[in-house]
Amino acid sequence: MVKAANSRGDDPGTPPRTRILVVGGGYVGMYTALGLQRKLRSGEAEITVVTPEPYMTYQPFLPEAAAGAISPRHVVIPLRRVLDRCRIVIGEARSIDHAKRTATVTTLATAEEGTGGIEIEYDELVLAPGSVSRTLPVPGLADYGIGFKTVEEAIGLRNHVIEQMDIASSTRDPAIRDAALTFVFVGGGFAGVEALGELEDMARYAARYYHNVKPEDMKWVLVEASDRILPEVGTEMGVYTVRELRSRNIDVRLETRLESCENRVAVLSDGSRFPTRTIVWTAGVKPHPVLQASDLPKNERGRLSCTSFLTVEGVEHAWAAGDAAAVPDITAAEPGSFCAPNAQHAVRQAKQLSDNLVAALRGELLTEYAHKYVGSVASLGLHKGVALLYGRKLKGYPAWFMHRAYHLSRVPTFNRKMRVLAEWTLAGLFKREIVSLGSLEHPRAEFELAAGGGHRHHPPRPTPDPPQDKQG
């Protein structure tokens, strides 16, 4: 175990600077660190941000990145450029001992050196590691499932969908063709519905360039365990979304669960079976595992128990917000309610957290986090969407336009706003991109082929069971 160096003052005559450790580089981590570096005076504190990736991903744009409307590099914000007054450590926080004010972090360097993790000491802790995908023990899910939480997953899924169309276009086996053109999405929240809507739209457009693949040949299935989808936009707009998706021949299965996807056959709780090569899992998230490796108080769902001031309950010098924190919603009609783990709350909580942390360092009063939920917007593909804003219901083109306008205003940095706007403008003037760059996932394949002097070898493909009982 190695201790990381931490400055406690420029010389013996100056008071030690407060060491602030921010765990996580997502919405809360980046916006909190950004607020701190703007509000703190020079020399007042040193800020260290520990994050597994050197960028923050603006997740609402992942569906459009998957559909090719936005370049992947414009969905992410480089932390070193934005947080130029912070120390950025690319690594994973493995455990936190708040009693000793230390965090154990593993980096790429420590993995290479074989020295184990490093200890980073701090005076104030901001815990914002976010969440990870919540999976269930579904047979075959770990082998064949695809997530949709990162930009790598979004681009990988885009490449995968186009490659399946290529397979279907070139195979002579009808069973392989049917499985390649069947796409199953599990989860009716924002991630699942928007990813399905954008990718179906993209694949339908791409089909015009295939001589033997038509949009009606493809089967898109949305599986949702509850009795409705997109609960955030209200019951009426949720019903409209189901109707809109079904009008595009998308098979929406409510009150249905995925029970197995072994051998690339999706088996649903209603008895349906779909041979498929694509299982997209977006059925919820859970708190980051580092919370369990800390001595901080947690609630029954594994989230940090927090106060409305965004401090960790019953603990000094610890702060939290976002997906990892159970923050009381003091604006809710029902007492005991907590803020939903979404981006809208995360960004606003981060601003309040940075304000409160600066106030605490200067001995000033803290302010409670209070935010009235103004509504939600969702894209269902090009020129299609739903929205519930300030009680007003929007659908179709107006909702899609509102979705783009809202998220363009929220994506960090002027640089990214202009690049995204430029891409949308060019996309409106020219044809959509239908190129798959799946080879990017294996950049050394061509060189290995040349060096080995042989043919490209692909792993054996599992043989799907024969189709049975496709009706719901």
Side-chain angles (χ1 to χ4, degrees):
M1 185 72 68
V2 179
K3 282 195 175 184
N6 278 272
S7 172
R8 295 294 284 157
D10 297 327
D11 59 67
T14 60
R17 290 183 288 179
T18 301
R19 300 166 300 180
I20 302 173
L21 175 63
V22 180
V23 177
Y27 290 104
V28 175
M30 192 197 80
Y31 278 106
T32 298
L34 185 61
L36 290 172
Q37 76 173 14
R38 285 174 175 170
K39 295 160 190 169
L40 290 170
R41 295 184 291 269
S42 177
E44 190 173 0
E46 63 175 20
I47 307 164
T48 301
V49 179
V50 174
T51 174
E53 303 292 348
Y55 52 79
M56 186 272 264
T57 303
Y58 191 72
Q59 291 181 332
F61 279 160
L62 288 183
E64 292 207 49
I70 301 176
S71 172
R73 66 183 182 277
H74 298 156
V75 177
V76 299
I77 293 85
L79 295 177
R80 295 189 190 279
R81 178 184 297 171
V82 176
L83 305 178
D84 55 338
R85 291 173 52 197
C86 300
R87 175 188 173 218
I88 307 296
V89 176
I90 306 303
E92 289 271 5
R94 296 298 182 182
S95 64
I96 295 171
D97 189 341
H98 191 64
K100 296 181 179 178
R101 303 289 194 274
T102 61
T104 301
V105 177
T106 57
T107 68
L108 294 176
T110 58
E112 289 287 335
E113 295 164 357
T115 56
I118 61 173
E119 273 193 359
I120 298 180
E121 299 177 342
Y122 61 84
D123 301 305
E124 300 283 344
L125 172 68
V126 177
L127 199 48
S131 57
V132 297
S133 295
R134 177 176 61 87
T135 59
L136 299 176
V138 176
L141 182 61
D143 298 318
Y144 303 113
I146 305 171
F148 199 78
K149 238 183 111 53
T150 68
V151 67
E152 294 85 357
E153 288 174 329
I155 303 310
L157 182 57
R158 168 188 170 80
N159 294 334
H160 174 82
V161 168
I162 296 177
E163 285 172 1
Q164 297 314 302
M165 297 177 70
D166 291 336
I167 290 171
S169 176
S170 57
T171 184
R172 296 180 180 179
D173 188 329
I176 292 178
R177 176 184 169 89
D178 288 346
L181 293 180
T182 300
F183 307 94
V184 179
F185 287 67
V186 183
F190 278 113
V193 172
E194 290 193 323
L196 170 60
E198 292 284 354
L199 284 165
E200 188 274 340
D201 204 44
M202 181 271 294
R204 185 158 28 85
Y205 176 87
R208 68 180 66 182
Y209 297 101
Y210 290 80
H211 70 282
N212 60 349
V213 175
K214 298 183 176 66
E216 52 268 27
D217 296 336
M218 294 181 279
K219 186 173 187 61
W220 298 80
V221 184
L222 177 63
V223 180
E224 168 55 37
S226 69
D227 60 353
R228 59 176 177 159
I229 63 175
L230 293 182
E232 295 87 353
V233 298
T235 303
E236 184 180 335
M237 288 293 96
V239 171
Y240 165 80
T241 303
V242 172
R243 191 166 62 246
E244 163 67 19
L245 294 177
R246 285 174 174 166
S247 72
R248 291 157 59 179
N249 292 322
I250 296 173
D251 187 355
V252 181
R253 304 283 181 113
L254 301 179
E255 298 183 276
T256 308
R257 298 177 308 279
L258 176 69
E259 296 200 333
S260 171
C261 55
E262 286 185 302
N263 298 319
R264 287 183 168 169
V265 177
V267 180
L268 308 185
S269 59
D270 62 5
S272 303
R273 298 169 61 89
F274 300 100
T276 177
R277 300 169 59 88
T278 309
I279 300 285
V280 184
W281 182 268
T282 63
V285 295
K286 63 181 180 181
H288 195 281
V290 73
L291 302 189
Q292 298 301 322
S294 73
D295 54 353
L296 298 170
K298 295 165 282 290
N299 67 4
E300 66 279 359
R301 293 179 177 270
R303 299 169 72 191
L304 292 172
S305 299
C306 295
T307 70
S308 57
F309 298 99
L310 303 176
T311 60
V312 178
E313 193 169 8
V315 179
E316 294 183 342
H317 308 295
W319 311 74
D323 290 1
V327 178
D329 187 352
I330 63 175
T331 65
E334 297 182 10
S337 298
F338 294 95
C339 296
N342 57 38
Q344 188 175 145
H345 278 298
V347 173
R348 289 163 174 79
Q349 286 174 0
K351 181 180 183 304
Q352 189 64 64
L353 194 160
S354 62
D355 287 342
N356 280 352
L357 181 46
V358 171
L361 294 179
R362 296 173 180 173
E364 300 169 357
L365 293 177
L366 308 186
T367 304
E368 289 186 293
Y369 172 73
H371 167 65
K372 188 172 179 60
Y373 193 63
V374 298
S376 298
V377 290
S379 170
L380 304 178
L382 189 64
H383 300 161
K384 296 175 281 288
V386 290
L388 178 65
L389 295 171
Y390 297 104
R392 289 195 62 185
K393 303 178 184 69
L394 300 174
K395 56 189 178 183
Y397 185 89
W400 171 84
F401 181 82
M402 185 62 68
H403 174 271
R404 283 199 161 183
Y406 174 78
H407 286 301
L408 184 65
S409 71
R410 295 299 174 184
V411 67
T413 77
F414 181 77
N415 179 304
R416 285 299 182 266
K417 292 182 198 296
M418 291 300 99
R419 289 181 182 273
V420 169
L421 182 59
E423 287 193 306
W424 282 343
T425 303
L426 291 173
L429 298 174
F430 300 101
K431 295 180 179 180
R432 299 177 68 159
E433 291 290 344
I434 59 167
V435 176
S436 165
L437 295 176
S439 58
L440 289 177
E441 298 164 29
H442 308 284
R444 295 188 66 247
E446 194 68 27
F447 182 79
E448 289 173 350
L449 176 65
H455 296 286
R456 235 187 228 100
H457 294 288
H458 297 282
R461 182 179 300 117
T463 304
D465 294 342
Q468 299 177 21
D469 185 24
K470 283 195 176 184
Q471 69 268 18

